């Protein structure tokens, strides 16, 4: 039974620019006809006034429930929490499974708001009311970090594909074609003929300054580059357009590198500030003390979890990350090929996957104990 079974409840169906509100009285009847508010100061204050009116009439605290809808619900949720109201976020999987219980298929914003109010009032569901602005900011920065990493990978693949056409064999010279040294070469010479026509001392100078390695390595790399260019000039497709594409991809990758560095710097600045609790900072250091867990993985895991008090059992945390096994049973049939549910936070699951890969590597580089403090 929900703890708001005997209290008035408010259901909010959130959209991008407005929300529909349904209010139930303590006995479960509709308190008033569903109404609409805009996502502005006047709309939020009107909702606050209606909630205060209900609480005063019944002399009871209301339970306010809304669906998690990306970022659209955040400003309203934050406004309600700031005004010391009991507001809760419901997972859309819960609301979707409870909506439309009637035989007739009816769906509109008013019905959805009423359905959310009934779920909050009558159903014993999992809902959270935790909202910490600095932690939310960290979570948003971490998610943007992964999105930039993924987009940058797309352009890295494009660069690799173009080089196989314009400069076959180039990928055998450098272990990482988007490394500092490789990019420095490609900025000046995009084709095999350009490498062959360039003075040796110019290429050696680029290799030396970008790699910071000795002359033996620079000469060996130069010889490899000349050999590959000599073979590639006979099979490469010479095209000014493709050469320009290489330059464009390099500039795009470098722009992404700058944005990623800015995000990492902002994450560190926020962690060094007084806005983050000392307990949260200590938890990051504890996680980083585990082999395989790096800085960004530790921050991602903790920000995705948010408030630990929302998880009463370890299996709830496992399910939140979506790494719990799915169940497929019917009658006497029990499937033995069940995969993980993947129902939880995909960013947290991604961080755990990266940690798992780092932990099972056969070659390990033992890191020094973490002495960093925030």
């Amino acid at each position: 039974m929900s703890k708001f079974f005997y209290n008035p409840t408010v259901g909010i169906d959130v959209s991008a620019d407005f929300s529909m509100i349904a209010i139930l009285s303590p006995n479960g009847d509709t308190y008033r006809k569903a109404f609409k508010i805009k996502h502005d100061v006047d709309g939020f204050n009107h909702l606050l006034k209606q909630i205060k009116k209900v609480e005063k009439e019944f002399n009871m605290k209301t339970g306010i429930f809304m669906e998690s809808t990306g970022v659209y619900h955040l400003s309203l949720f934050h406004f309600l929490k700031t005004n010391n109201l009991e507001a809760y976020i419901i997972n859309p999987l819960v609301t979707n499974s409870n909506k439309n219980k009637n035989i007739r298929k009816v769906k509109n914003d008013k019905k959805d708001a009423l359905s959310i109010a009934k779920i909050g009032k009558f159903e014993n569901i999992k809902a959270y009311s935790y909202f910490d602005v600095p932690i939310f900011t960290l979570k948003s920065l971490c998610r943007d970090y992964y999105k930039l990493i993924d987009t940058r990978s797309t352009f890295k693949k494009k660069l690799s594909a173009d080089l196989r056409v314009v400069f076959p064999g180039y990928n055998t010279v450098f272990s990482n074609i988007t490394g500092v040294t490789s990019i420095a070469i490609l900025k000046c010479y995009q084709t095999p003929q350009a490498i062959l026509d360039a003075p040796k001392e110019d290429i050696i100078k680029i290799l030396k300054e970008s790699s910071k390695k000795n002359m033996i390595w620079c000469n060996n790399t130069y010889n490899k580059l000349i050999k590959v260019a000599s073979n590639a000039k006979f099979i490469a497709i010479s095209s000014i357009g493709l050469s320009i594409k290489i330059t464009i991809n390099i500039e795009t990758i470098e722009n992404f590198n700058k944005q990623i560095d800015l995000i990492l710097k902002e994450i560190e600045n926020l962690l060094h500030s007084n806005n983050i609790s000392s307990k949260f900072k200590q938890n990051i250091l504890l996680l980083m003390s585990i082999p395989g867990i790096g800085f960004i993985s530790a921050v991602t895991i903790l920000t995705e979890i948010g408030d630990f008090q929302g998880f009463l059992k370890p299996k709830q945390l496992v399910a939140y990350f979506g790494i719990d096994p799915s169940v497929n049973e019917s009658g006497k049939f029990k499937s033995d090929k069940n995969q993980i549910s993947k129902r939880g936070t995909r960013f947290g699951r991604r961080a755990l996957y990266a940690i798992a890969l780092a932990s099972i590597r056969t070659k390990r580089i033992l890191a020094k104990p973490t002495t960093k403090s925030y």
Side-chain angles (χ1 to χ4, degrees):
M1 180 187 294
S2 169
K3 73 172 186 175
F4 291 103
F5 188 83
Y6 299 105
N7 295 67
T9 56
V10 178
I12 305 177
D13 184 62
V14 182
S15 301
D17 301 313
F18 65 89
S19 292
M20 292 301 300
I21 315 297
I23 303 177
L24 298 178
S25 58
N27 65 0
D29 293 338
T30 302
Y31 175 76
R32 60 164 291 184
K33 192 175 181 180
F35 60 95
K36 175 180 176 181
I37 64 163
K38 290 185 178 180
H39 287 186
D40 54 25
V41 176
D42 292 336
F44 286 4
N45 284 330
H46 178 66
L47 173 60
L48 183 62
K49 183 179 178 181
Q50 295 302 314
I51 293 172
K52 293 294 183 182
K53 180 181 176 183
V54 174
E55 292 184 341
K56 184 178 180 180
E57 180 174 338
F58 295 104
N59 195 26
M60 292 179 178
K61 293 289 288 184
T62 57
I64 305 164
F65 296 88
M66 65 183 72
E67 201 176 52
S68 176
T69 53
V71 298
Y72 301 135
H73 70 282
L74 290 175
S75 57
L76 177 56
F77 181 66
H78 180 57
F79 174 81
L80 295 172
K81 295 296 291 182
T82 304
N83 283 277
N84 299 316
L85 295 171
E86 293 196 45
Y88 298 88
I89 301 296
I90 306 175
N91 192 306
L93 291 173
V94 175
T95 55
N96 288 337
S97 63
N98 281 273
K99 288 176 184 176
N100 252 349
K101 289 185 176 179
N102 297 326
I103 295 177
R104 283 191 66 216
K105 186 177 181 180
V106 179
K107 185 192 182 306
N108 56 48
D109 293 339
K110 292 181 180 180
K111 290 282 185 182
D112 288 347
L114 185 60
S115 176
I116 292 170
K118 289 180 178 179
I119 290 169
K121 183 172 180 61
F122 299 114
E123 304 285 343
N124 186 21
I125 57 169
K126 300 289 183 184
Y128 68 90
S129 61
Y130 173 81
F131 188 75
D132 186 304
V133 174
I135 300 301
F136 170 74
T137 304
L138 275 176
K139 181 167 77 171
S140 298
L141 289 170
C142 287
R143 290 186 171 189
D144 284 345
Y145 167 83
Y146 287 113
K147 290 173 184 176
L148 288 173
I149 289 288
D150 291 341
T151 310
R152 184 183 65 179
S153 296
T154 301
F155 285 94
K156 284 184 175 182
K157 291 176 182 177
K158 288 182 178 180
L159 177 62
S160 177
D162 289 338
L163 283 172
R164 289 183 180 277
V165 176
V166 177
F167 204 145
Y170 180 85
N171 63 316
T172 63
V173 179
F174 298 99
S175 58
N176 180 13
I177 62 169
T178 56
V180 176
T181 308
S182 174
I183 291 294
I185 291 292
L186 288 173
K187 276 184 173 182
C188 299
Y189 316 106
Q190 294 87 38
T191 63
Q193 195 60 50
I195 290 288
L196 295 173
D197 294 341
K200 178 179 178 179
E201 56 271 18
D202 289 353
I203 296 178
I204 292 291
K205 183 180 179 181
I206 294 172
L207 293 171
K208 179 70 177 174
E209 291 178 352
S210 59
S211 68
K212 309 297 182 185
K213 293 186 178 180
N214 56 39
M215 287 302 297
I216 296 175
W217 182 89
C218 292
N219 280 305
N220 289 338
T221 304
Y222 173 79
N223 292 333
K224 289 180 184 177
L225 201 54
I226 291 297
K227 184 179 179 181
V228 167
S230 299
N231 293 329
K233 71 176 184 177
F234 296 107
I235 59 174
I237 297 175
S238 180
S239 169
I240 296 175
L242 291 176
S243 298
I244 291 174
K245 269 188 69 181
I246 290 173
T247 303
I248 292 172
N249 284 331
I250 289 173
E251 290 177 355
T252 304
I253 291 168
E254 287 185 329
N255 285 331
F256 277 115
N257 288 338
K258 290 178 183 177
Q259 293 177 51
I260 290 167
D261 290 340
L262 284 173
I263 284 181
L264 289 174
K265 186 176 180 181
E266 185 57 33
I267 290 173
E268 290 201 350
N269 289 340
L270 192 52
L271 284 171
H272 280 102
S273 70
N274 295 325
N275 296 325
I276 304 296
S277 68
S278 57
K279 185 178 180 181
F280 185 89
K281 297 174 184 179
Q282 184 61 31
N283 285 337
I284 288 179
L285 295 177
L286 287 173
L287 278 178
M288 290 176 65
S289 67
I290 301 173
I293 301 184
F295 170 71
I296 194 68
S297 296
V299 178
T300 300
I301 289 172
L302 287 180
T303 53
E304 290 295 328
I305 291 173
D307 184 12
F308 276 100
Q309 294 181 352
F311 304 94
L312 302 178
K313 301 176 183 177
K315 65 180 183 181
Q316 292 178 350
L317 187 58
V318 170
Y320 177 72
F321 279 95
I323 55 176
D324 57 318
S326 59
V327 179
N328 185 12
E329 297 179 1
S330 179
K332 295 182 178 180
F333 170 77
K334 291 186 179 181
S335 175
D336 58 355
K337 297 180 180 179
N338 297 327
Q339 299 177 338
I340 61 175
S341 65
K342 293 187 179 181
R343 281 287 184 99
T345 164
R346 63 185 180 92
F347 292 97
R349 191 162 55 249
R350 174 175 179 165
L352 290 178
Y353 178 72
I355 291 167
L357 288 181
S359 299
I360 62 175
R361 287 186 186 130
T362 53
K363 275 191 176 182
R364 294 180 181 273
I365 300 174
L366 296 178
K368 295 180 180 178
T370 303
T371 58
K372 197 170 185 178
S373 62
Y374 297 105

